[in-house]
């Protein structure tokens, strides 16, 4: 059945014109870059380079936060995110030009010399940053990236003389090191500096390698900095480099007044790596090029291969080309052409790119989630969801992380909340933790029993969706037979109980099935998706109900694909039970309530003063199919009426107006912020998906567009956050700073908005039977095109919308043959034409 909406309600197509002169920068879609034209962004903006294995953050003014394998336990550079934008943060480059009196010094990143530039651009690229700066008659181009699969951060520096006369130029790149345990660097000013060591190793031909480690890592993990060319001198001691016992500053290091640095090594204290590279006299129009390396290996001997490789500039160029090829291939998995430029820009480039970032860093390392301590790490719930955003692009890498997650699932079926990757790899029997629930350990109820759960009601359910996603994408059903250990604290991996992947999934569902509350709804546990609502044990959650029901649907699909009809029937029974329990208890008259506490009081009810209605109970009841008919529509319409704003859907309303110990975390925020009535973006794509299920494509697209950061490029003084990636939250309309975005990059918004856009609006999704094409679009669209790679074949899909409906496949033609459904067959190779007509 086609669902039609009036054309009137269709959003106007918004254009992100390439190179329009916006205040801070513009999208260059052809190069897949966002180009900043000023360093003075409203807040710090950044980009990611490399992967969790080696890489991290590069900010737009040249600060780099590099880690290997684990931001908390193996950090390399000392990036203190709280420092003002104008301050040095772990790295910079000084360019020094000889003049009659001495030297003029500037940084092509602007920070930390704060020199005014004639021209300045920062190109935020796919896993690289590139600056183009003009100052002192020189054009400097700096490109920072990590070659795919390497443990090296390269900094490719090119200085061109734009003047008529030759210029004598020196280039001084600098890094500052952190102790490997990031938190200790900030909290221990005795032990840390005593251990920090830097040595210079001169090579016969004038090259130098600076070797840095905390003493106990000397024989296991050493950091190094070197350049492709000879250097005149170096400094390893910050005090010496800045000069006058640190009365010299990063803005104007006193040592730069001298021809050479002091070759200071550092047996303790603040370790840096500063190299004096003499570019010599650069003739008019000529370019000097050098490339630095910052890496970590077990020893310099092990590093010598990489050092030699990247001292050859041809290999640097090759590595940059390879990176571009990686992204070309990655992004070619799904490419769309729709009438909406901001949608195309996000779906084709920036959103899948952000998904790759969240897949790597979970919620571990951003300018907001600082990667200190091991209590955050890789989140079970977060990463399970992130993986769904990369499943079509890199299913095998996604699976590797999914198997790690399964290995921190308890034999009872619920999961540990998070783990630090290095601690997990070291197998010390104490590698995962139960998250924030530890905070309330020891709080007892009226009968002397623990008042709060030490498990989360949702964690273990997400992974069912993730594994189902993998299976549908790849068809590799054998995965279900693979044995994976369960998590038993204190036991080494080899001693732990094992179960097949299928068994893990069964236990997930069984845990929830055996942890239902008074109304027959899944218990909240310490928290559900909303970390900020921690009601005592016995509370029930509508969100967990929706997620559980959706996980049951996925499990039924898996069992059906396995031909196990008995299990399909069993899970169907569980599904019907919970659906009935939900419908019997959770309907408030116009919307679904969000929680019941252990006494049976409802939260998210019209009767409440604060937190009357919550977003997630409306969306997830539709996504899971437990809300049907009028109630499904009414819930979503109430959401639209009470929670929607021009900047996105709020997670609840009204916000609590002061700390209430009964509800805890949520009321620590002022009204309109984060979970307390803020626009928590992660929940928005669920609203989009629910609307596509109801067939209301205009509404779904409106919800999509109102949070699209690319469409906010002209509103950056309000939004403030990077326009090329989703932030975690936007302040809601109860807050004075309504519209302001925060906590960019690492958010479940990325994976889910990508899923909402590609699988539900564009409507192309993997299934056990083939590739489903069933869009739900704005009625104003005449159609669109999409290319999708699936199981080895490429599907060139064209969707036509002659009747201007939102949803409803009237006809599907695959390679010239009419198909009697909306599923294109599995081909395994070749290019296949799919034409879908809506109506
Ligand atoms: C943060 C957490 C996520 C949680 C959400 C809502 O984004 O990373 O796990 O679901 O907040 O509280």
């Amino acid at each position: 059945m086609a669902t039609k909406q009036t054309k009137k309600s269709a959003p106007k197509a918004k254009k992100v014109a390439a190179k329009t002169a916006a205040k801070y920068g513009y999208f260059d879609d052809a190069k897949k870059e966002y180009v900043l034209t000023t360093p003075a962004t409203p807040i710090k903006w950044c980009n990611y380079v490399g992967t969790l294995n080696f890489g991290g953050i590069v900010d737009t003014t040249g600060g780099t936060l590099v880690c290997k394998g684990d931001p908390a336990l193996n950090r390399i550079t000392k990036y203190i995110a709280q420092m003002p934008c104008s301050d040095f943060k772990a790295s910079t480059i000084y360019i020094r030009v000889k003049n009659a009196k001495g030297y003029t010094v500037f940084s092509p990143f602007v920070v930390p010399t704060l020199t005014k530039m004639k021209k300045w651009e920062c190109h935020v690229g796919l896993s690289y940053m590139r600056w183009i700066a003009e100052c002192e008659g020189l054009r400097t181009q700096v490109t920072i990236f990590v070659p795919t699969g390497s443990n090296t951060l390269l900094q490719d520096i090119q200085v061109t003389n734009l003047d008529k006369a030759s210029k004598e130029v020196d280039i001084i790149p600098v890094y500052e090191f952190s102790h490997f345990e990031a938190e200790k660097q900030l909290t221990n000013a005795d032990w840390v500096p005593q251990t920090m060591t830097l040595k210079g190793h001169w090579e016969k031909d004038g090259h130098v390698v600076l070797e840095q480690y905390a003493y106990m890592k000397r024989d296991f993990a050493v950091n190094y900095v070197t350049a492709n060319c000879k250097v005149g001198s170096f400094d390893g001691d910050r005090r010496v480099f800045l000069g006058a016992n640190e009365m010299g500053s990063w803005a104007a290091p006193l040592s730069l007044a001298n021809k050479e640095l002091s070759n200071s090594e550092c047996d303790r204290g603040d370790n840096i790596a500063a190299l004096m590279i003499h570019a010599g006299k650069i003739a008019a129009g000529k370019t000097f090029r050098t490339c630095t390396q910052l890496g970590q290996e077990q020893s310099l001997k092990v590093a010598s291969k990489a050092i030699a490789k990247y001292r050859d500039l041809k290999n640097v160029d090759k590595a940059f080309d390879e990176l571009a090829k990686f992204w070309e291939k990655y992004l070619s998995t799904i490419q769309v052409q729709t009438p909406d430029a901001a949608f195309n820009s996000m779906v084709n480039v920036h959103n899948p790119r952000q998904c790759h970032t969240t897949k790597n860093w979970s919620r571990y390392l951003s300018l907001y989630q600082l990667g200190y301590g091991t209590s955050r790490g890789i989140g079970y719930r977060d990463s399970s969801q992130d993986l769904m955003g990369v499943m079509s692009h890199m299913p095998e890498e996604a699976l590797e992380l999914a198997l790690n997650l399964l290995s921190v699932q308890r034999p009872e079926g619920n999961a540990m909340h998070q783990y630090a990757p290095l601690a997990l790899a070291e197998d010390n029997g104490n590698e995962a933790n139960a998250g924030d629930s530890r905070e309330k350990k020891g709080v007892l109820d009226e009968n002397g029993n623990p008042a709060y759960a030490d498990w989360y009601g949702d964690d273990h359910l997400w992974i069912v969706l993730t594994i189902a996603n993998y299976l549908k994408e790849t068809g590799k059903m054998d995965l279900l037979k693979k044995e994976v250990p369960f998590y038993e604290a204190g036991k080494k991996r080899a001693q732990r109980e094992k179960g097949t992947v299928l068994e893990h999934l069964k236990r997930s569902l069984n845990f929830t099935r055996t942890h239902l509350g008074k109304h027959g709804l899944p218990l909240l546990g310490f928290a559900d998706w909303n970390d900020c609502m921690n009601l005592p044990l016995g509370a029930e959650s509508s969100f967990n109900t929706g997620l559980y029901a959706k996980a049951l649907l996925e499990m039924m699909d898996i069992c059906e694909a396995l031909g196990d009809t008995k299990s399909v029937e069993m899970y169907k029974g569980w599904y019907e039970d919970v659906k009935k329990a939900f419908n019997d208890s959770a309907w408030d008259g116009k919307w679904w309530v969000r929680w019941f506490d252990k006494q049976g009081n409802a939260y998210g009810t019209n009767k409440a003063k604060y937190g009357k209605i919550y977003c997630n109970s409306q969306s997830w009841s539709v996504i899971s199919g437990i809300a049907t008919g009028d109630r499904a529509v009414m819930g979503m319409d109430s959401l639209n009426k009470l929670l929607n704003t021009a900047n996105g859907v709020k997670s609840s309303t009204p916000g609590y107006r002061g700390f209430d110990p009964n509800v805890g975390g949520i009321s620590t925020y002022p009204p309109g912020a984060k979970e307390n009535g803020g626009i928590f973006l992660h929940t928005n794509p669920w609203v989009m998906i629910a609307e596509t299920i109801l067939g209301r494509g205009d509404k779904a697209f409106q919800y999509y567009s109102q949070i699209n950061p690319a469409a906010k490029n002209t509103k950056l003084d309000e939004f403030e956050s990077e326009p090329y990636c989703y932030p975690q939250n936007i302040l809601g309309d109860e807050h004075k700073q309504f519209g302001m975005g925060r906590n960019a990059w690492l958010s479940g918004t990325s994976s889910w908005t990508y899923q909402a856009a590609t699988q539900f609006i564009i409507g192309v999704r993997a299934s056990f039977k083939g590739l489903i094409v069933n869009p739900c679009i704005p009625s104003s669209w005449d159609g669109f095109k999409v290319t999708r790679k699936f199981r080895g074949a490429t599907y060139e899909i064209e969707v036509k919308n002659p009747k201007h409906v939102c949803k409803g496949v009237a006809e599907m033609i695959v390679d010239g043959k009419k198909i009697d459904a909306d599923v294109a067959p599995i081909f395994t190779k070749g290019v296949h034409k799919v034409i879908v007509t809506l109506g």
Side-chain angles (χ1 to χ4, degrees):
M1 245 275 289
T3 321
K4 189 156 180 148
Q5 283 180 267
T6 57
K7 265 193 169 183
K8 237 168 105 192
S9 63
K12 289 198 188 88
K14 288 177 190 151
K15 292 238 154 59
V16 182
K19 305 212 173 189
T20 45
K23 189 165 167 194
Y24 297 98
Y26 58 88
F27 285 89
D28 184 342
D29 279 353
K31 291 203 177 119
K32 301 183 172 53
E33 290 176 343
Y34 182 86
V35 184
L36 275 87
T37 47
T38 168
T41 47
I43 50 171
K44 288 186 198 84
W45 289 1
C46 73
N47 192 3
Y48 284 77
V49 294
T51 65
L52 179 65
N53 289 335
F54 183 91
I57 294 173
V58 181
D59 74 22
T60 53
T61 53
T64 48
L65 202 178
V66 183
C67 309
K68 185 170 181 228
D70 197 321
L73 299 176
N74 196 7
R75 187 169 296 215
I76 299 174
T77 54
K78 193 201 281 180
Y79 186 104
I80 316 263
Q82 292 86 350
M83 300 305 280
C85 293
S86 51
D87 278 18
F88 173 87
K89 285 176 288 304
S91 55
T92 194
I93 297 171
Y94 298 95
I95 306 285
R96 190 169 82 161
V97 193
K98 191 137 178 40
N99 58 34
K101 287 190 228 129
Y103 300 103
T104 309
V105 176
F106 71 92
S107 165
F109 307 128
V110 176
V111 173
T113 58
L114 307 183
T115 317
K116 202 164 165 10
M117 301 279 152
K118 190 157 173 229
K119 174 181 172 175
W120 187 88
E121 283 174 358
C122 170
H123 296 236
V124 180
L126 293 170
S127 298
Y128 67 88
M129 278 296 226
R130 173 169 289 161
W131 291 261
I132 295 172
E134 285 179 22
C135 187
E136 293 294 320
L138 297 174
R139 181 179 187 274
T140 317
Q141 177 179 302
V142 181
T143 309
I144 296 183
F145 70 104
V146 174
T148 312
S150 84
N151 298 327
T152 320
L153 181 85
L154 298 182
Q155 194 169 230
D156 182 355
I157 308 166
Q158 301 181 31
V159 181
T160 306
N161 184 355
L162 302 175
D163 276 356
K164 293 205 175 80
S166 67
K167 284 180 192 292
E168 191 171 335
V169 176
D170 300 311
I171 300 166
I172 306 102
V174 188
Y175 288 102
E176 183 171 19
F177 293 99
S178 165
H179 190 263
F180 60 91
E181 268 190 72
E183 199 168 23
K184 290 230 166 69
Q185 176 66 56
L186 302 180
T187 57
N188 192 321
D190 173 28
W191 179 71
V192 165
Q194 295 289 0
T195 65
M196 296 288 275
T197 315
L198 186 133
K199 288 185 188 327
H201 301 277
W202 285 103
E203 294 171 7
K204 275 191 231 103
D205 55 4
H207 284 90
V208 75
V209 179
L210 301 183
E211 181 188 26
Q212 194 280 335
Y213 46 78
Y215 190 66
M216 61 291 225
K217 289 278 180 180
R218 183 192 60 192
D219 305 327
F220 310 101
V222 302
N223 303 318
Y224 63 88
V225 168
T226 191
N228 73 314
C229 57
K230 291 180 196 169
V231 304
S233 50
F234 68 86
D235 262 327
D237 188 337
R238 189 179 77 182
R239 188 164 58 164
V240 176
F241 179 71
L242 296 182
N245 289 336
E246 296 207 347
M247 280 297 118
S249 67
W250 285 113
L254 297 178
S255 60
L256 295 185
N258 307 324
K259 184 166 192 312
E260 293 296 346
L261 302 176
S262 312
N263 291 341
S264 61
E265 296 191 326
C266 205
D267 295 322
R268 68 174 309 290
D270 295 299
N271 292 184
I272 64 163
L275 301 177
M276 174 61 76
I277 298 171
H278 300 300
K281 282 214 165 99
I282 307 179
K286 293 284 176 216
T287 300
F288 176 86
R289 183 178 177 197
T290 180
C291 183
T292 66
Q293 306 177 30
L294 164 70
Q296 186 188 89
E297 290 297 348
Q298 193 192 340
S299 64
L300 285 190
K301 194 158 174 253
V302 176
S304 61
K305 228 174 121 192
I307 290 177
K309 180 171 177 187
Y310 297 117
R311 277 193 182 155
D312 183 344
L313 293 175
K314 278 201 247 44
N315 287 331
V316 174
D317 291 336
K318 215 168 131 207
F320 192 73
D321 287 350
E322 274 165 17
L323 186 66
K325 282 201 190 95
F326 164 83
W327 278 108
E328 207 179 296
K329 184 157 180 260
Y330 188 90
L331 296 176
S332 71
T333 309
I334 305 175
Q335 284 290 300
V336 303
Q337 282 174 54
T338 78
D340 191 284
F343 181 87
N344 298 346
S345 189
M346 280 316 278
V347 172
N348 290 337
V349 184
H350 303 284
N351 196 176
R353 193 276 143 97
Q354 187 177 357
C355 289
H356 183 265
T357 307
T358 56
K359 186 265 167 197
N360 270 286
W361 282 278
S362 197
R363 304 295 167 271
Y364 212 178
L365 186 72
S366 74
L367 294 180
Y368 307 90
Q369 299 176 346
L370 299 168
Y372 292 129
T374 52
S375 59
R376 181 93 199 183
I378 303 292
Y380 201 99
R381 131 184 350 124
D382 296 323
S383 287
S384 299
Q385 295 172 74
D386 295 342
L387 292 180
M388 293 187 253
V390 300
M391 203 55 92
S392 324
H393 303 70
M394 45 193 311
E396 299 314 320
E397 278 190 49
L399 177 62
E400 202 183 308
L401 178 50
L403 293 174
N404 271 342
L405 293 171
L406 284 173
S407 77
V408 295
Q409 181 183 13
R410 290 173 172 146
E412 296 79 8
N414 63 323
M416 301 301 281
H417 196 56
Q418 53 216 358
Y419 68 86
L422 267 189
L424 187 72
E426 277 160 20
D427 193 19
N428 60 11
N430 187 24
E431 66 262 27
N433 71 59
D436 297 338
S437 62
R438 289 167 299 167
E439 285 170 13
K440 300 224 173 166
K441 212 174 172 179
V443 180
L444 302 179
D445 68 10
E446 55 285 358
N447 302 316
N449 298 317
Y452 293 90
D454 66 353
W455 46 271
Y456 289 67
D458 65 324
D459 281 343
H460 55 282
L461 293 169
W462 292 109
I463 199 80
V464 180
L465 274 56
T466 317
I467 297 292
N469 240 260
Y470 172 86
L471 297 172
K472 289 179 181 176
E473 189 65 46
T474 64
K476 295 183 180 168
M477 300 304 280
D478 271 359
L479 168 69
L480 292 167
K481 297 190 202 137
K482 187 179 172 70
E483 294 231 305
V484 180
F486 288 100
Y487 183 80
E488 295 178 278
K491 280 193 189 170
K492 295 245 177 233
R493 276 193 166 211
Q495 297 155 355
R496 295 182 195 159
E497 184 187 343
K498 282 199 173 105
T500 61
V501 169
L502 185 61
E503 181 60 24
H504 277 261
L505 303 190
K506 284 182 180 168
R507 291 202 197 176
S508 295
L509 295 168
N510 199 52
F511 183 86
T512 300
R513 167 81 176 168
T514 53
H515 288 77
L516 303 175
K518 270 194 188 143
H519 299 92
L521 305 182
L523 290 179
L524 168 67
F526 184 73
D528 56 30
W529 170 87
N530 187 332
D531 273 340
C532 286
M533 190 61 124
N534 310 118
L535 298 169
L537 195 57
E540 293 161 288
S541 156
S542 291
F543 177 82
N544 288 348
T545 308
L547 179 59
Y548 169 60
K550 174 73 180 154
L552 285 168
L553 291 177
E554 293 295 344
M555 191 64 159
M556 286 183 236
D557 276 2
I558 294 174
C559 294
E560 198 186 303
L562 292 173
D564 179 359
T565 44
K566 228 175 112 199
S567 297
V568 175
E569 283 312 308
M570 182 185 81
Y571 290 121
K572 194 154 189 269
W574 293 14
Y575 178 85
E576 292 303 335
D577 289 349
V578 82
K579 181 175 177 182
K580 180 170 186 315
F582 185 69
N583 277 275
D584 287 352
S585 63
W587 184 246
D588 193 57
K590 290 189 178 151
W591 58 80
W592 302 97
V593 303
R594 182 67 174 79
W595 295 280
F596 291 108
D597 66 17
K598 68 171 181 174
Q599 288 82 18
N601 302 312
Y603 288 70
T605 153
N606 197 21
K607 290 187 209 85
K609 195 162 174 205
Y610 305 118
K612 271 178 184 291
I613 175 171
Y614 286 80
C615 168
N616 288 346
S617 31
Q618 319 318 319
S619 55
W620 271 90
S621 55
V622 174
I623 292 173
S624 61
I626 56 175
T628 50
D630 290 351
R631 285 183 173 185
V633 174
M634 265 172 99
M636 292 304 293
D637 284 349
S638 299
L639 176 155
N640 182 270
K641 197 167 147 213
L642 299 170
L643 296 174
N644 193 36
T645 76
N647 287 308
V649 178
K650 298 184 280 184
S651 65
S652 62
T653 202
Y656 289 93
R657 278 165 172 63
F659 181 64
D660 175 352
N662 289 322
V663 293
I666 190 167
S667 64
T668 58
Y669 293 111
K674 297 265 282 195
E675 283 94 337
N676 191 25
I679 301 164
F680 211 102
L681 290 196
H682 191 163
T683 65
N684 279 245
W686 295 332
V687 177
M688 298 166 206
I689 295 172
E691 285 295 354
T692 66
I693 291 170
L694 296 181
R696 303 197 291 192
D698 289 322
K699 277 218 160 61
F701 202 74
Q702 182 197 339
Y703 290 131
Y704 182 91
S705 299
Q706 65 194 15
I707 67 160
N708 187 345
K712 293 189 192 292
N713 198 36
T714 47
K715 284 171 60 173
L716 288 173
D717 282 327
E718 174 184 292
F719 183 57
E720 296 196 351
S721 192
E722 288 99 313
Y724 44 83
C725 65
Y726 289 96
Q728 178 212 57
N729 66 84
I730 295 180
L731 288 164
D733 55 5
E734 288 183 86
H735 199 283
K736 276 196 197 142
Q737 288 164 309
F738 175 50
M740 180 208 267
R742 278 297 183 276
N743 205 339
W745 283 103
L746 302 188
S747 165
T749 316
S750 182
S751 164
W752 280 105
T753 311
Y754 191 59
Q755 292 179 67
T758 55
Q759 299 182 25
F760 293 90
I761 295 176
I762 290 302
V764 179
R765 56 186 179 270
S767 78
F768 288 116
K769 299 201 174 92
L771 193 64
I772 297 174
V773 184
N774 194 342
C776 184
I777 54 172
S779 50
S780 60
W781 285 10
D782 292 330
F784 62 89
K785 287 185 179 161
V786 52
T787 306
R788 169 68 147 93
K789 297 203 172 138
F790 175 62
R791 308 236 191 143
T794 301
Y795 295 70
E796 300 280 5
I797 303 163
E798 188 179 352
V799 173
K800 298 177 179 169
N801 190 19
K803 293 192 179 153
H804 286 273
V805 297
C806 291
K807 193 174 179 176
V809 174
E811 186 183 71
M812 179 186 248
I813 297 176
V814 180
D815 291 337
K817 276 191 232 107
K818 209 168 155 183
I819 300 272
D820 207 15
D822 58 0
V823 190
I826 298 165
F827 289 110
T828 70
K829 60 174 192 261
V831 179
H832 303 274
K833 280 238 161 311
V834 181
I835 300 173
V836 168
T837 308
L838 303 181

